[in-house]
Amino acid sequence: MESRAKKKPKKKRTLLKTIIIIFILLILGGLGFAYYMYHSLANTLDGTHQALHRKVSEKRDEGVKFSEKDPISILLLGVDEREGDRGRSDSMILMTVNPETKSMKMVSIPRDTRAEIIGHGTTDKINHAYAYGGVNMAVDTVENFLDVPVDYYVQVNMESFKDIVDAVGGVTVNNSLDFTYDGVHFKKGQISLDGEEALKFSRMRYEDPRGDFGRQERQRQIIQAVIKKGASFNTLANYGDILDTIGKNIKTNLTFDNMKDIQSNYKEARHSLEQLQVNGEGQKVDGVYYYVVSEAEREKLSTELKEHLNIKQ
């Protein structure tokens, strides 16, 4: 049974998993690279590129070879940007993609998880790594926590969520629970949602008897619905809006050529998405609240991710 933290998350935090739709939509959603939009896409993605301090993870013997369809890992950071500083990462999601098994796995690391902050010499809440040292420190800390390589990262401004749903013309989902949240009633059955409604649909947790599992299911529905809309021809009419949203809200070390390789060779993995749980419990250490994950749980997650990445134990 999942151990849930007692501390109520901020509203923005509850939506973080769905932010990865921007990355999945662009690279795995199959929008394609038609000639008339190629240059606009290339220019947008060139503007999102920001390299890491190293090219290859120390946890790999050699770099990823897209031509050989090596499994890859991507750290997705949902960042609450603030004027005057870099903000904090309210979401850390490690996604692994295996083109041979045509599958993806996602691990959402709770922001209050107690972890060693690599490069800072402290043990703290894992989301502080980004505040202390930006993307590089966040990547190094997650690699250490899960003992797997982080090949790429995608940093997303969380405020972009509503925009991307609206840019694809809204989404349709099959709602299994009748509920009202933040002034909006969501009836049971098939419903259509705009960006604001999708945001609220994804936030609710405490009225769901399944707790965080129920919320994750709704988030998964939103992700898959956006991918489906993004893969349709009709969505090309909103292509300019999608590019504008991406250009303003994403930073990544993936190059345009990397993305083309992924779109060509890895896109079938989008059909199988498994969410893995980080089981732990809320505790106070020296008066500070943390989400504490046991060594056994960390090893379990690490083993599953290594197997998906075809990394020898």
Side-chain angles (χ1 to χ4, degrees):
M1 181 179 295
E2 178 195 24
S3 299
R4 294 189 296 173
K6 296 180 180 179
K7 190 174 182 180
K8 185 176 181 179
K10 296 178 181 178
K11 285 186 176 181
K12 287 182 180 179
R13 185 190 320 163
T14 62
L15 199 33
L16 300 174
K17 295 185 184 70
T18 60
I19 291 298
I20 71 165
I21 61 176
I22 294 177
F23 169 76
I24 298 175
L25 169 65
L26 175 65
I27 300 177
L28 303 178
L31 283 179
F33 296 90
Y35 178 78
Y36 73 92
M37 65 180 69
Y38 182 93
H39 292 295
S40 294
L41 180 59
N43 289 336
T44 296
L45 296 180
D46 284 343
T48 68
H49 187 262
Q50 183 173 296
L52 287 172
H53 63 82
R54 43 80 168 173
K55 290 185 178 180
V56 180
S57 168
E58 293 182 356
K59 296 187 179 295
R60 282 195 183 275
D61 295 329
E62 57 183 356
V64 169
K65 295 179 181 178
F66 290 107
S67 60
E68 297 183 9
K69 295 187 177 181
D70 290 340
I72 59 175
S73 64
I74 304 154
L75 179 63
L76 301 131
L77 296 167
V79 176
D80 181 10
E81 295 182 343
R82 305 172 186 180
E83 187 174 353
D85 65 29
R86 65 167 59 97
R88 295 195 176 187
S89 60
D90 276 348
S91 174
M92 285 185 168
I93 302 169
L94 186 69
M95 181 171 70
T96 57
V97 185
N98 188 315
E100 294 299 326
T101 61
K102 298 180 180 179
S103 62
M104 297 190 298
K105 293 182 186 289
M106 284 191 345
V107 179
S108 179
I109 306 172
R111 53 173 281 155
D112 293 330
T113 299
R114 195 164 190 264
E116 180 183 356
I117 308 300
I118 303 302
H120 196 257
T122 59
T123 298
D124 207 333
K125 295 182 180 183
I126 199 166
N127 75 314
H128 288 186
Y130 181 86
Y132 292 143
V135 169
N136 287 295
M137 191 170 288
V139 166
D140 290 345
T141 297
V142 170
E143 280 196 338
N144 182 71
F145 180 72
L146 291 174
D147 193 28
V148 295
V150 174
D151 301 311
Y152 301 100
Y153 81 90
V154 178
Q155 175 187 319
V156 184
N157 178 5
M158 294 187 304
E159 293 299 322
S160 64
F161 172 71
K162 292 186 293 183
D163 295 337
I164 196 66
V165 173
D166 286 333
V168 299
V171 296
T172 299
V173 298
N174 187 26
N175 183 25
S176 61
L177 180 69
D178 189 285
F179 67 94
T180 298
Y181 181 80
D182 201 11
V184 177
H185 178 69
F186 299 94
K187 65 180 181 179
K188 191 173 182 179
Q190 190 174 85
I191 55 176
S192 297
L193 308 171
D194 61 20
E196 181 68 30
E197 292 166 341
L199 185 151
K200 294 178 179 181
F201 181 76
S202 300
R203 279 177 172 167
M204 194 278 285
R205 176 175 63 166
Y206 291 103
E207 296 176 27
D208 193 322
R210 299 169 296 174
D212 201 46
F213 287 106
R215 182 181 64 180
Q216 289 179 13
E217 168 64 19
R218 287 190 295 279
Q219 291 171 341
R220 184 184 63 80
Q221 287 187 41
I222 295 293
I223 290 170
Q224 292 182 329
V226 172
I227 292 172
K228 183 177 180 180
K229 289 293 292 290
S232 71
F233 179 78
N234 292 336
T235 307
L236 296 179
N238 297 328
Y239 199 77
D241 292 339
I242 295 172
L243 289 184
D244 185 59
T245 299
I246 289 168
K248 290 179 179 178
N249 294 288
I250 289 183
K251 291 295 180 185
T252 179
N253 63 329
L254 284 160
T255 66
F256 183 44
D257 286 340
N258 291 157
M259 295 183 188
K260 288 190 291 181
D261 286 336
I262 292 172
Q263 202 279 331
S264 297
N265 300 317
Y266 293 67
K267 63 182 179 181
E268 293 304 313
R270 75 185 189 273
H271 297 301
S272 176
L273 174 59
E274 180 184 2
Q275 296 190 47
L276 307 179
Q277 297 296 126
V278 180
N279 293 312
E281 59 180 11
Q283 295 181 11
K284 281 195 173 182
V285 180
D286 296 328
V288 178
Y289 173 87
Y290 294 98
Y291 188 72
V292 179
V293 181
S294 69
E295 285 299 313
E297 174 65 11
R298 286 207 295 167
E299 290 178 5
K300 176 185 174 184
L301 286 170
S302 180
T303 297
E304 186 163 356
L305 293 172
K306 286 176 179 176
E307 289 176 353
H308 197 234
L309 289 169
N310 293 344
I311 293 176
K312 294 181 180 179
Q313 303 291 322

